[in-house]
Amino acid sequence: EDQVTQSPEALRLQEGESSSLNCSYTVSGLRGLFWYRQDPGKGPEFLFTLYSAGEEKEKERLKATLTKKESFLHITAPKPEDSATYLCAVQALRETSGSRLTFGEGTQLTVNP
Amino acid sequence: DSGVTQTPKHLITATGQRVTLRCSPRSGDLSVYWYQQSLDQGLQFLIQYYNGEERAKGNILERFSAQQFPDLHSELNLSSLELGDSALYFCASSVDRYYSGNTIYFGEGSWLTVV
């Protein structure tokens, strides 16, 4: 069974204080690893998809990296508007899985001004 | 705006009742997914339809059913509702090209409160 574990559960940063969120995963054949941002009461907003170990993607203050066992979301010089829950999810290569995403519990990020 | 449209946004109903949640996928997307998000369980996959056919099934209760229509919109039917069914129900869609990229976009969700 696919599993995704995110750490820490919650993270408080001061504005400008860089940090990283961790996503550890187990899946029998990775089709893709996804990062989403979710604001309270809203739908997950797509950020990145990573497909193979060593791949990196960047968007503004966010950078996602992937190894064979985990992914990191690096946040550089965060601003208060980066406060949200960040979700990691995996998509398996198994035909029987369809294209479902298996999500972690998320990291709740708060950036204080 | 992801392009995935869900209705209704909010719904309050009594135990034992039945409700239908509706989803219109992004233009051109063939796959529709349903997820449930409750406070204590995170995002749980319920079911996926691809071009009208069931593609994958998750932890969907027997009281719940879904379908995807020829125009690709989808409905999730929840019956014999219990208090524990109160949650945010998300619809998502994707083009679903197997063995290549497959970004999944989520709607804003339907808040269901069972009283």
Side-chain angles (χ1 to χ4, degrees):
Chain A
E1 185 176 332
D2 306 331
Q3 282 195 315
V4 178
T5 303
Q6 292 187 245
S7 62
E9 288 184 13
L11 181 63
R12 285 188 174 271
L13 300 173
Q14 288 298 121
E15 186 172 0
E17 180 187 1
S18 302
S19 188
S20 295
L21 312 182
N22 177 263
C23 170
S24 299
Y25 65 91
T26 56
V27 63
S28 55
L30 180 69
R31 184 175 166 195
L33 184 138
F34 293 71
W35 282 97
Y36 288 86
R37 168 196 169 122
Q38 187 176 26
D39 293 304
K42 301 289 188 181
E45 176 190 343
F46 172 75
L47 294 174
F48 305 105
T49 310
L50 302 168
Y51 298 104
S52 57
E55 188 174 0
E56 298 182 352
K57 287 192 176 173
E58 287 189 65
K59 179 181 179 179
E60 296 179 1
R61 296 177 291 282
L62 301 176
K63 178 180 176 181
T65 62
L66 181 65
T67 73
K68 288 187 177 180
K69 293 184 178 180
E70 56 193 350
S71 177
F72 293 93
L73 185 65
H74 307 277
I75 303 176
T76 302
K79 298 181 177 181
E81 52 262 42
D82 294 322
S83 297
T85 296
Y86 290 85
L87 299 168
C88 173
V90 295
Q91 191 177 60
L93 279 170
R94 289 187 311 276
E95 181 75 27
T96 54
S97 291
S99 299
R100 78 176 75 181
L101 295 177
T102 299
F103 282 88
E105 296 292 315
T107 293
Q108 187 173 0
L109 175 66
T110 303
V111 182
N112 296 314
Chain B
D1 183 4
S2 68
V4 180
T5 304
Q6 291 188 245
T7 57
K9 288 188 176 9
H10 300 273
L11 192 56
I12 301 175
T13 190
T15 55
Q17 295 298 303
R18 172 189 168 96
V19 299
T20 297
L21 309 180
R22 194 179 191 279
C23 170
S24 294
R26 287 164 25 111
S27 177
D29 285 359
L30 296 178
S31 269
V32 169
Y33 312 76
W34 288 97
Y35 284 81
Q36 180 191 55
Q37 187 174 41
S38 52
L39 285 175
D40 58 347
Q41 286 199 331
L43 269 163
Q44 299 292 317
F45 170 74
L46 296 178
I47 197 162
Q48 176 195 356
Y49 278 84
Y50 175 79
N51 204 20
E53 299 290 327
E54 183 182 305
R55 180 78 176 269
K57 211 167 187 175
N59 299 321
I60 187 167
L61 299 172
E62 285 191 12
R63 301 184 284 110
F64 296 0
S65 65
Q67 54 183 329
Q68 186 180 27
F69 295 87
D71 67 352
L72 300 178
H73 90 272
S74 178
E75 292 180 357
L76 179 67
N77 298 297
L78 315 175
S79 61
S80 302
L81 285 167
E82 302 174 358
L83 295 178
D85 297 327
S86 296
L88 247 181
Y89 290 85
F90 287 108
C91 174
S93 75
S94 70
V95 173
D96 202 4
R97 295 191 189 93
Y98 205 73
Y99 294 118
S100 67
N102 184 37
T103 299
I104 297 176
Y105 295 93
F106 283 77
E108 289 300 302
S110 291
W111 276 100
L112 173 65
T113 302
V114 182
V115 297

